[in-house]
Amino acid sequence: MKTKIWQITKESEIQIYLEAAKMLQAGETVAFPTETVYGIGADATNEAAVTKIYEAKGRPSDNPLIVHIADQAQVHSFVKEIPPNAKKLMKQFWPGPLTIILPLQANRLARNVTAGLDSVGVRMPEHPVALGLLAVAGIPVAAPSANRSGKPSPTSGEHVEEDLNGRIAGIISAGKTGVGLESTVIDCTLEVPAILRPGGVSQAEIEAVIGPVISEVQPLEQKEAPKAPGMKYTHYAPKAPVVIIEGDATFFQQQIDNAKARGEEVGILVSDELSKDLDASTHKLALGSREHLEEVAYQLYQQLRNFDHTSVTIIYAEAFAKEGIGTAIMNRLDKAAGGHYMRQSEED
Ligand code: TXA
Ligand code: MG
């Protein structure tokens, strides 16, 4: 398939929205930027169109997709009701990086959008290009992240081209995304809402609006006890295995030295602060200051992808504080590492 690639400019944007919206309405797939990561969109009411998303990504079809809208009024066309908590969250955080799971109205969306569930995840993105395209298209658009399944989500148009050029009808390219990690997913069909995926909006920010919520997010390592080799589940992962190092700079340096002694080519993914304390290492990719976790989030996927253009055989990543967006950073790193950690023991 020949993929049409548009570069957004002020002069051309309306024309691009019109062309891309026509493709979506005709049942084709188009990738577009949001403030979190790029998404690959299709008409959420068209089953054949949605199937093309799963095929292009190589994604298992039992994992439901998020429906994107440009106007809150659209929600009523496919949702049974909007619980009071959800209303408050929409008012506070939309447009923005929060996906809200709501009870689905039967027969309004293609069944494969929700993977047969009776609930649907909905989000209004805060990106002028996403909002422009969605408004012109006028249809609810199902859109997962625009990466091949298992790879880090795309935070630039080039990442989307790397993964999906030739596999989808169009790509709207508009530079880098803002947050750099996916939206927070919160289930509002429950009595007490539950955070299913940490992201751009923190638990504290949510609780300030609707009170206590449940966090169902567990690190992989606590989920299954000893994993059978080869059965580990990784996601957002570069080609080389990732291990998270919990400990001080001396401990971190020790792990690097040990791995080098085994003949590994070590890549490290660390804050500017830790970077300064480590020996010049062959492949050091910095994520910014650990005092500015927003910057770390913004750089994370780009740097994970960058390792694929090096010859490293193992990647050691710093453990960041799980506060604010740090929770989302550590959730993604945990998945990239398949739950693998090395920890400095208390007595060291
Ligand atoms: O930031 C984002 O959310 C990006 C951009 C493109 O909007 N999209 C994204 O979509 O990350 P995706 O498909 O990669 O992730 C959707 C997440 C999955 O973890 C999925 O299991 C969950 O949302 N999800 C979607 N609908 C759900 C539902 N009805 N019940 C429970 N989880 C749901
Ligand atoms: Mg994804």
Side-chain angles (χ1 to χ4, degrees), residues 8-336:
I8 281 280
T9 61
K10 263 276 153 265
E11 302 69 48
S12 64
E13 66 176 340
I14 298 296
Q15 189 55 36
I16 293 172
Y17 299 153
L18 287 168
E19 283 176 38
K22 211 182 255 174
M23 275 187 189
L24 288 173
Q25 289 157 351
E28 295 300 333
T29 48
V30 176
F32 59 91
T34 81
E35 82 281 28
T36 58
V37 300
Y38 276 72
I40 160 177
D43 178 354
T45 65
N46 178 339
E47 182 149 355
V50 172
T51 299
K52 291 178 187 172
I53 292 181
Y54 287 105
E55 285 171 357
K57 279 183 66 86
R59 172 170 171 134
S61 57
D62 59 354
N63 193 2
L65 307 177
I66 295 170
V67 175
H68 295 65
I69 52 166
D71 177 351
Q72 267 196 44
Q74 276 178 289
V75 181
H76 299 279
S77 71
F78 56 85
V79 151
K80 222 185 259 168
E81 52 160 349
I82 304 178
N85 278 335
K87 262 189 204 134
K88 287 187 199 154
L89 292 174
M90 287 173 183
K91 189 156 182 282
Q92 181 70 28
F93 297 110
W94 278 9
L98 183 70
T99 294
I100 305 176
I101 311 279
L102 296 166
L104 177 69
Q105 211 181 126
N107 303 320
R108 297 300 179 95
L109 296 177
R111 281 184 61 80
N112 52 353
V113 169
T114 55
L117 298 175
D118 54 9
S119 62
V120 57
V122 194
R123 154 165 139 80
M124 187 192 294
E126 186 173 29
H127 190 293
V129 174
L131 288 172
L133 173 66
L134 292 166
V136 174
I139 46 175
V141 171
S145 49
N147 51 288
R148 291 301 302 271
S149 203
K151 293 241 289 172
S153 300
T155 53
S156 75
E158 289 74 42
H159 297 165
V160 182
E161 284 184 50
E162 226 170 71
D163 280 16
L164 297 175
N165 197 357
R167 305 182 65 88
I168 58 178
I171 298 172
I172 305 181
S173 200
K176 288 183 128 196
T177 58
V179 180
L181 297 179
E182 299 84 350
S183 62
T184 303
V185 177
I186 185 162
D187 189 346
C188 283
T189 65
L190 309 166
E191 191 83 39
V192 181
I195 295 180
L196 305 183
R197 177 176 75 181
V201 178
S202 71
Q203 182 167 349
E205 287 172 303
I206 288 172
E207 290 185 331
V209 177
I210 59 170
V213 298
I214 299 167
S215 173
E216 291 191 349
V217 185
Q218 293 167 0
L220 281 183
E221 43 162 357
Q222 283 167 24
K223 255 183 233 161
E224 321 108 305
K227 282 180 290 281
M231 289 290 292
K232 73 178 197 285
Y233 165 74
T234 55
H235 203 79
Y236 313 110
K239 292 189 185 114
V242 178
V243 180
I244 300 170
I245 311 286
E246 276 183 7
D248 59 21
T250 312
F251 180 75
F252 206 111
Q253 185 64 52
Q254 249 165 35
Q255 309 317 309
I256 297 173
D257 296 343
N258 293 347
K260 282 188 172 165
R262 291 196 307 269
E264 300 270 16
E265 199 173 324
V266 186
I268 59 172
L269 186 61
V270 293
S271 65
D272 296 342
E273 290 89 345
L274 182 56
S275 177
K276 284 194 202 96
D277 289 340
L278 299 174
D279 285 355
S281 160
T282 30
H283 297 287
K284 203 186 262 187
L285 294 183
L287 291 167
S289 168
R290 56 164 83 112
E291 301 301 316
H292 301 286
L293 291 178
E294 277 73 21
E295 193 185 335
V296 174
Y298 176 74
Q299 306 253 37
L300 181 65
Y301 286 149
Q302 164 85 55
Q303 296 294 46
L304 282 171
R305 273 178 186 260
N306 283 344
F307 279 119
D308 284 349
H309 304 295
T310 72
S311 50
V312 301
T313 57
I314 191 152
I315 298 164
Y316 287 159
E318 174 174 350
F320 290 88
K322 287 187 190 169
E323 26 186 76
I325 193 134
T327 310
I329 292 169
M330 288 314 294
N331 171 263
R332 304 312 191 273
L333 267 181
D334 182 277
K335 289 196 171 164

